[in-house]
Amino acid sequence: MNQGRVIRMIAILLATFAFSARAKTFLAVPGQYVVKLKPTATVMSALQMERILGSEVKETINKSEGLILVQRPIVEERGAAISTLAHNPMVEYAEPNFIYKVVGGSTGLPNDAELGKLWGMINNGQRVEGDGGGILGKIDVDIDADKAWQIETGSKEVVVAVIDTGVRWNLSDLQNNIFVNEAELNGQPGVDDDANGCVDDVHGCDIAGKDGDPMDVYGHGTHVAGTIGAVGNNQEGVVGVAWNVRILPVRFLGDDGSGTLADAVKSIDYAVTMKANIMNNSWGGGGFSQVLMDSIVRAKDAGILFLAAAGNSSNDNDASPEYPASYAVDNVISVAAVDPQGMMADFSNWGKSSVHIAAPGVNILSYTMRGLQSWSGTSMACPHVAGVAALLLSQDMGQPYSTIKNRLLASARPIAGLRGRVATGMVNAYYALTNTAAPMDPNDPFNWQKTSESVSTDHPYPHRSRQEWTLSVPGASKIAVYFSKFETEANYDKVEFKNKDGVVVGTLSGRLGEVYGPVVEGDTVTLSFVADDSVNAYGFDVGGVAYQVQ
């Protein structure tokens, strides 16, 4: 497919999103349609039909009835495709190639032992445990993995380079999805058999250690790899967003989790040489580097999507860029982190223009050097998006990186906690795979009724502040506090939001400006503000409470 046609298909996709978001979408094989031909068309050859229909004829279903199965571009919206086919003079009617399943029996979910703890994949409001304690999840704050897996679980044709601290490539829940370099596997020990600059790189390369074994000793890269592609449906541990994929470990971050510009560039170039399709980059630091940007451009020219963690310093990347996430190269997708309540994680960087999308990044369970552990960071959010990108590419390996990027961003789900923080919303695997616009967030307080309130901290607030306020809107079914300004020391000075039963439903921390707090069920919310004895900032001003009444 030429680039012009891709652009036209994307335009069709975006133009029809409003309709798609309102209509109920039934599962169907992406891009496939069952076509009933008119009697005069059945005498044509398959080649003639393909030319006239503008579609690939995959098979004849029933020759005497004039039924054929055709394939159209996956990025084309279903309604537009059916309309195009139905208006063809050769066609009586066209329908999606619907997917049918047994009634009852299996849930269709993978049987991996810890699936229920992966709130970023499937959030049923479960309690999410992590190093910072437990927090109740919020239903529907996830990537809709359960629905996405009914359509696609990945392909071994897709290669995702994990440029990080290495990967425990011999871990039983990962090893079947680890890249194998056949030239080195079947070559001579100590010889660079494929002349790629890395000797004996059977499972990737250790750039930092200057050898061919990218074994992780830190744990970070392994955690990332588990979220992208831990083997699915094997009754073991966790499951990756893509059950089937090839993970290419590239180690440039050493035993202490740090690395150099020179090794970062070598790592990106190595992944290009090994023909990776996607790069996951859960790392950052340093200032602008022309050398690093040029290496990302080389990846772009090779058709590779470059996923980058937005950073963990509660920073506005629009105002103060962080790299590599802020490089203005077309193949870069910058990823922020969301917590189980649907709020921007208090540590996450943001940027209304420069941070493209968000993903689950708080208390994410995956593998480390000490078994399964829950870690937090935009490092944990980034591989969720890389995994969804792998699912999209698995649908059609012919898609350029630009199409995958457009599909990810156009289908991102708007949630209230991200309003004004990222360019789109939260990644959603199901909407991305079905080329569907996510519906508006019914829990966005921006669209609710509001009362006026006047509650403020001291400006600046004193060290070791301990303050609490209770706000109510009698008769409300849901409420959310509106802050006209919110600025505290990120990660240390926090506001907890409790419902009328005293259960913590979310927190806010950092330089957030104008923002809404988490949605609280019921008509009462208590704000508990706690500050430490170090940096003291402006504090906050409450301007009102947004509410809904059932």
Side-chain angles (χ1 to χ4, degrees):
M1 185 188 303
N2 62 41
Q3 189 69 20
R5 188 172 181 185
V6 170
I7 293 171
R8 289 195 296 275
M9 291 298 100
I10 292 295
I12 291 170
L13 169 66
L14 295 174
T16 54
F17 261 6
F19 168 79
S20 302
R22 294 191 297 269
K24 184 174 181 179
T25 302
F26 295 96
L27 284 179
V29 180
Q32 290 190 6
Y33 302 91
V34 176
V35 174
K36 167 76 170 177
L37 298 171
K38 293 179 179 177
T40 54
T42 58
V43 298
M44 294 184 180
S45 68
L47 188 61
Q48 289 174 310
M49 283 191 285
E50 286 185 344
R51 185 171 60 252
I52 296 173
L53 292 175
S55 310
E56 175 191 355
V57 177
K58 293 190 70 69
E59 63 177 286
T60 298
I61 300 171
N62 187 314
K63 186 174 182 180
S64 62
E65 293 294 324
L67 292 174
I68 60 173
L69 180 66
V70 304
Q71 178 77 49
R72 293 182 65 84
I74 288 175
V75 297
E76 185 178 21
E77 195 272 336
R78 185 186 297 179
I82 289 176
S83 177
T84 298
L85 289 168
H87 282 85
N88 190 293
M90 289 176 52
V91 175
E92 282 194 19
Y93 58 81
E95 297 178 350
N97 192 14
F98 289 118
I99 295 172
Y100 300 102
K101 295 181 178 291
V102 295
V103 179
S106 171
T107 64
L109 294 175
N111 58 20
D112 301 80
E114 305 298 338
L115 177 65
K117 297 179 181 178
L118 304 181
W119 73 265
M121 309 281 191
I122 305 171
N123 190 337
N124 294 315
Q126 67 266 46
R127 192 165 183 81
V128 180
E129 302 293 340
D131 293 340
I135 185 171
L136 291 176
K138 182 177 177 182
I139 294 174
D140 287 340
V141 181
D142 56 38
I143 67 168
D144 279 336
D146 51 341
K147 293 193 291 184
W149 289 333
Q150 296 181 59
I151 301 170
E152 184 63 67
T153 57
S155 167
K156 286 296 198 297
E157 290 187 70
V158 177
V159 177
V160 180
V162 174
I163 300 175
D164 212 289
T165 63
V167 174
R168 288 178 62 193
W169 50 263
N170 59 355
L171 191 68
S172 60
D173 206 14
L174 286 175
Q175 61 184 359
N176 287 341
N177 280 349
I178 297 293
F179 181 91
V180 177
N181 184 349
E182 297 291 342
E184 295 290 345
L185 178 66
N186 300 311
Q188 301 179 51
V191 176
D192 185 5
D193 299 281
D194 55 2
N196 66 359
C198 193
V199 177
D200 295 338
D201 53 324
V202 176
H203 297 301
C205 189
D206 180 0
I207 302 297
K210 296 178 173 55
D211 62 46
D213 185 3
M215 179 59 71
D216 193 2
V217 298
Y218 187 90
H220 189 272
T222 301
H223 199 285
V224 165
T227 297
I228 295 171
V231 176
N233 211 35
N234 65 347
Q235 299 184 326
E236 182 179 356
V238 297
V239 58
V241 178
W243 304 4
N244 302 293
V245 69
R246 279 189 294 165
I247 294 170
L248 173 65
V250 188
R251 181 176 181 267
F252 93 97
L253 301 173
D255 294 357
D256 62 352
S258 66
T260 67
L261 168 62
D263 284 349
V265 171
K266 289 179 184 177
S267 297
I268 293 168
D269 287 342
Y270 172 81
V272 170
T273 298
M274 301 307 289
K275 302 187 185 309
N277 305 110
I278 299 162
M279 296 180 184
N280 189 95
N281 300 274
S282 290
W283 49 273
F288 174 86
S289 165
Q290 187 66 51
V291 173
L292 183 56
M293 188 173 79
D294 287 347
S295 70
I296 296 171
V297 170
R298 289 193 291 276
K300 175 186 74 73
D301 293 342
I304 302 171
L305 191 65
F306 188 96
L307 280 301
N312 299 337
S313 54
S314 304
N315 177 68
D316 181 355
N317 286 2
D318 287 354
S320 180
E322 291 208 13
Y323 300 103
S326 295
Y327 285 117
V329 183
D330 186 55
N331 62 330
V332 173
I333 298 180
S334 175
V335 184
V338 174
D339 72 16
Q341 285 289 317
M343 300 298 294
M344 174 76 76
D346 54 15
F347 55 78
S348 179
N349 290 0
W350 72 91
K352 188 175 182 180
S353 299
S354 61
V355 178
H356 302 100
I357 200 166
V362 176
N363 293 348
I364 303 301
L365 185 68
S366 188
Y367 291 102
T368 69
M369 305 312 293
R370 294 175 295 281
L372 288 169
Q373 290 188 314
S374 291
W375 286 6
S376 299
T378 54
S379 285
M380 284 63 251
C382 193
H384 281 87
V385 184
V388 177
L391 293 181
L392 294 181
L393 191 56
S394 298
Q395 284 187 310
D396 178 2
M397 290 296 296
Q399 298 172 92
Y401 77 83
S402 55
T403 297
I404 299 298
K405 179 176 180 177
N406 283 331
R407 291 179 68 184
L408 287 167
L409 302 187
S411 61
R413 181 182 172 191
I415 59 176
L418 297 175
R419 175 180 286 278
R421 301 295 172 199
V422 300
T424 57
M426 179 170 162
V427 70
N428 187 281
Y430 175 72
Y431 294 134
L433 286 167
T434 56
N435 297 318
T436 306
M440 297 305 294
D441 183 2
N443 282 321
D444 189 345
F446 181 83
N447 301 313
W448 297 356
Q449 301 179 70
K450 295 179 180 64
T451 66
S452 294
E453 298 285 350
S454 182
V455 170
S456 297
T457 62
D458 292 335
H459 305 314
Y461 53 82
H463 296 310
R464 300 183 182 179
S465 291
R466 299 288 188 276
Q467 293 180 278
E468 193 166 270
W469 302 265
T470 297
L471 304 174
S472 296
V473 180
S477 58
K478 295 179 180 179
I479 61 176
V481 178
Y482 164 68
F483 296 90
S484 56
K485 184 174 182 179
F486 190 104
E487 182 181 325
T488 68
E489 184 189 9
N491 304 322
Y492 297 100
D493 301 343
K494 301 182 179 183
V495 176
E496 288 187 338
F497 298 82
K498 302 175 183 177
N499 63 18
K500 63 181 178 181
D501 297 322
V503 176
V504 176
V505 299
T507 63
L508 285 184
S509 180
R511 294 182 293 107
L512 305 181
E514 184 181 15
V515 68
Y516 284 90
V519 173
V520 178
E521 300 286 339
D523 63 4
T524 301
V525 58
T526 297
L527 285 65
S528 295
F529 176 52
V530 178
D532 65 11
D533 57 359
S534 59
V535 177
N536 51 353
Y538 176 87
F540 58 78
D541 298 310
V542 174
V545 176
Y547 66 95
Q548 276 189 330
V549 178
Q550 284 184 339

